[in-house]
Amino acid sequence: MDSRLLADATSAIGVGIGVEAEHLPEVPADLRQGGEHSLHLYQRWANHYAQAIHAGVLQAQERMPSVREIRERHEVSHTTALQILRELESRGLIEARARIGYFVRSQAHAMPAAREPIELVPFDARGKGLESIGDRISDYLNKARLVGTFKADLGSAMPAPELFDASFLNRQAVALLKEQPNLLVHGPSAPFTHPEFQAAMARYALTFGLKIPPMQVAATLGNSEAVNLMLDTVTQPGDMVAIESPTFYGIVQAVEARGLRSLEIPSSPHTGMSPEALELALRTYPELKAVIVVPHLQMPQGATMPDSHKERIVAMCSRRGVALIEDDIYREFVEEPGVHRPCKAWDTDGTVVYCASLSKSFAPGLRLGWMNGGRWHDKVQMLKFTRSRNMPLWPQLLGARTVGTPFYMRHLARLRDRLHRQREQAAQAVARYFPIGSRLSLPRGGLSIWIELPESISTARLYDEALALGIRVAPGDMFSNTGSYGHFLRLSCGMPFTEAINDAYRVLGQLMHAQMGLPPRG
Amino acid sequence: MDSRLLADATSAIGVGIGVEAEHLPEVPADLRQGGEHSLHLYQRWANHYAQAIHAGVLQAQERMPSVREIRERHEVSHTTALQILRELESRGLIEARARIGYFVRSQAHAMPAAREPIELVPFDARGKGLESIGDRISDYLNKARLVGTFKADLGSAMPAPELFDASFLNRQAVALLKEQPNLLVHGPSAPFTHPEFQAAMARYALTFGLKIPPMQVAATLGNSEAVNLMLDTVTQPGDMVAIESPTFYGIVQAVEARGLRSLEIPSSPHTGMSPEALELALRTYPELKAVIVVPHLQMPQGATMPDSHKERIVAMCSRRGVALIEDDIYREFVEEPGVHRPCKAWDTDGTVVYCASLSKSFAPGLRLGWMNGGRWHDKVQMLKFTRSRNMPLWPQLLGARTVGTPFYMRHLARLRDRLHRQREQAAQAVARYFPIGSRLSLPRGGLSIWIELPESISTARLYDEALALGIRVAPGDMFSNTGSYGHFLRLSCGMPFTEAINDAYRVLGQLMHAQMGLPPRG
């Protein structure tokens, strides 16, 4: 790294697998002309370095300039120099090594991120028959069911059982049955959710900035049930619901299942749903009754919304009386330190419905979600009672006695560490085996990676080809109705990266190259 | 009992609390004139004795004539004489004492049954605001929640925890966690329901006449979820659904919650939904898309459909392509010996959707229901996945390993015995404390009794009055939108009949008499 950087960047030849001519970095306009005043100085310099890394000018394992070097070279303050490095770290481009300094992360990280979509795409599933995502997803799921077990399941975004402390949980479960011998034969009582669970979740929510009255916590069968109940509560068939594009297929299914129209809002792989596009949507479509966001590590792209976006989106929804359904299932997987406040933290009038779950973070086998329905809470709670009565008490008490304890927080830290390592290993396998021209979204947390393959590849076809070889993946067209993601792939990193998983990546790479008529790499 | 019976019956003075002048028995026309040829001879004689019992001509604890006496007195065959006694027994009017003979059951049984409704009542909840049953029920439930705990809860139809074998269940649960240590941390896999649970339920269903392929069994969060999923699957808002009148309030809530119109079909306290009325409804309303029946011990009246009605109703629905949603939650509580086949046993083309649950019969704390969606099974299974993914695995395995075993069958027999005793005790308390003119439906099985009080009594008012004294009941207007049941009451007999429960009946009687401006009885 030296002063040639600015001058040379425009002519540098891309290395790695992701760089094509049109993506070569230019000397940023804002650095040359002082434009883009909405960006802080540190962000502009961070963009500059990011482009250099993407372009291969700064190569993997190369040492970054120190804080002092940056300060002197760019004539910025000590604070700004520090911010530049932290910003690059938070984007996953560089990593700190204790007492040495920052280094550019491995080649995989230098792959360009998946492109950001630009159009608002309203979609009406009614009358589309087999074109609707619901049928497409049923088709994928049914094919997988026929196979039953997989050599490598890269399709399901769930941490492997060995990433949890099952023996702790089993001991707790047994102790609970000893303490309350009638737990399994006790019917539901008048409060629909166990008061101990309500109190524990309310207490835990305080630690990330939410003040929810315990009485207004409802236990649900995972957070899918919560999101579905809310859609039942605030929409009528024919209404429109704004969702991220691309988004978790379960959300699209939920919208379609009740004859609603989904409006896919462009969403960045870095910052999630575009507030500008949502504002436009709210102005354009009066039939828009709800917005669903996954604020942290949104699936499949892995975006986390900046606080400023959260605040703006809450205010927009509040102003127009539209329900903001916040599906905060991945908050605890965010790897950046600090408190990660959900949109609900900016809610002043009950506009935000908060849905969370212990399924991914604590115990998938309990199927325990929880929610606060904002100003619709009483209504949604009664609907929950109508549709499926209460959740069993045993998991509620297990959750109540664990979530938020020091044990739980240590478990989460370990879980994040292991997932981090597994994502890194997966990214390296992608870099090694997948075709030149692939682009990668490697989120700073969570259970999966998101890959844009060369456009000639069909991941729908890849799904069938891989399934026949015992490998399950999640093809891009599960996550959107726009037709834009036919060459995208979500791969789960929930399983330890074994030899078998590595083989699966190799085989996927072979199948991709075969689709392109090319010999395999790696 | 002697030959005076026929002659004296018309002038006998009613005893007990339930007999008014218009209910005095007459010498049946069919016995005098040989009419009513549709009834078997034994049924006509049984009716005759039943009227004598209702009229108090045959009093409680009185010994019935023996088979030989009946044979000689009425000049009927040995078989017919036996059938007469068995018919009276099955109606709950007499009981066998080993090696002695049959005896008239206690006074409570001589109360006339609740009247049978006669009109078809279509009801459209949309736009009715607070008039809708959903809001009325929310109101009742919310009032109860504010009270929290009760001195006597006669409102919830659930067996008390002590009626189950919790220690067996706990041992099974602990053994299961030892055998499968990852059970609580294992995520859902591709088949939505555990194959072991599917196989066990399919095997069990065979014992009562159902051939369901294991792959077509789906686990649900209680059977409420199953019924709701089916309504989602076969109806559109604005459609009509035929339900029993009166019926379990949860069913009315489910229909209303999705903007459907309910059509209440007259239902007998003895034989359930009237096939004639349903036939009329099917001819009259082309927008009728589903029929919901509870074939065994239907709540609140306690009716069990005769096989011939089941068969007719299945055929009717099949002919018109209407889904028959069978909520068979109380089959295992039927006390008559023999195999009790659900409607599904007569299903030849997937018209019948079968929903059942382990919540009432085995372990309320598991919240485990199961269903077969008939010809809509694939669709409903995908909807279940969309709405709430799978059920946790541990309750499925606990259920799979117990249901249908000899232990389970012995447990059911004990449970029925205890509930039988509790219902008898409750009926005696009703006879002792409730106003003259009350009428009682005392089902031959199940968790509750159903009482028609004098018309001047408002059970909605009684609900509030009793709740203020720590007693919860279920008022009649929870079970219908027809406005016909404002003086009816469902009382749960799930709790052991303690002094506190007896007190509650006494207090309820006092409140009723106060409403009528009369001094209390008993």
Side-chain angles (χ1 to χ4, degrees), chain B residues 257-319:
Chain B
R258 44 182 61 65
L260 298 170
R261 284 177 296 158
S262 63
L263 180 69
E264 298 194 19
I265 306 289
S267 299
S268 150
H270 306 295
T271 55
M273 182 180 278
S274 156
E276 293 76 15
L278 179 62
E279 179 66 48
L280 174 62
L282 287 164
R283 276 206 309 268
T284 313
Y285 298 103
E287 66 271 40
L288 208 166
K289 293 292 159 52
V291 178
I292 308 181
V293 293
V294 180
H296 298 115
L297 298 170
Q298 187 263 356
M299 188 70 83
Q301 299 192 119
T304 290
M305 286 170 70
D307 282 358
S308 60
H309 287 199
K310 294 174 186 164
E311 186 173 8
R312 277 168 71 190
I313 285 178
V314 173
M316 271 177 221
C317 290
S318 164
R319 205 156 43 233

Side-chain angles (χ1 to χ4, degrees), chain B residues 37-95:
Chain B
H37 286 299
S38 64
L39 289 182
H40 285 289
L41 184 63
Y42 82 89
Q43 287 172 317
R44 283 182 272 148
W45 278 112
N47 285 347
H48 172 69
Y49 278 102
Q51 285 176 309
I53 292 169
H54 286 315
V57 176
L58 281 168
Q59 299 224 358
Q61 308 312 325
E62 199 169 325
R63 193 176 155 281
M64 284 291 289
S66 67
V67 172
R68 194 173 49 82
E69 286 166 335
I70 291 177
R71 217 175 60 198
E72 289 170 1
R73 184 168 299 156
H74 306 307
E75 297 178 351
V76 295
S77 69
H78 178 83
T79 312
T80 301
L82 251 178
Q83 278 176 314
I84 292 167
L85 290 167
R86 289 202 179 134
E87 174 70 16
L88 290 166
E89 187 188 21
S90 85
R91 294 189 201 170
L93 295 171
I94 64 173
E95 58 190 353

Side-chain angles (χ1 to χ4, degrees), chain A residues 37-112:
Chain A
H37 286 299
S38 64
L39 290 182
H40 286 288
L41 185 62
Y42 81 89
Q43 287 171 316
R44 283 181 272 146
W45 278 110
N47 287 346
H48 171 69
Y49 278 102
Q51 285 176 310
I53 292 168
H54 287 315
V57 176
L58 281 167
Q59 297 225 358
Q61 308 312 326
E62 199 169 325
R63 194 176 155 280
M64 283 293 288
S66 67
V67 172
R68 194 172 49 81
E69 286 166 333
I70 291 177
R71 219 174 60 198
E72 289 169 2
R73 183 169 299 156
H74 306 308
E75 297 178 352
V76 297
S77 69
H78 178 81
T79 311
T80 302
L82 251 177
Q83 279 177 313
I84 291 167
L85 288 167
R86 288 202 179 134
E87 174 71 15
L88 289 166
E89 187 188 20
S90 84
R91 294 190 200 170
L93 295 171
I94 64 173
E95 59 190 352
R97 293 186 195 158
R99 275 185 275 271
I100 308 182
Y102 283 91
F103 288 77
V104 176
R105 294 173 81 200
S106 69
Q107 196 186 56
H109 303 280
M111 289 173 69

Side-chain angles (χ1 to χ4, degrees), chain B residues 1-24:
Chain B
M1 173 73 197
D2 59 31
S3 57
R4 282 178 306 135
L5 177 59
L6 290 182
D8 288 357
T10 49
S11 63
I13 301 301
V15 297
I17 64 168
V19 180
E20 294 157 29
E22 81 235 55
H23 303 113
L24 290 179

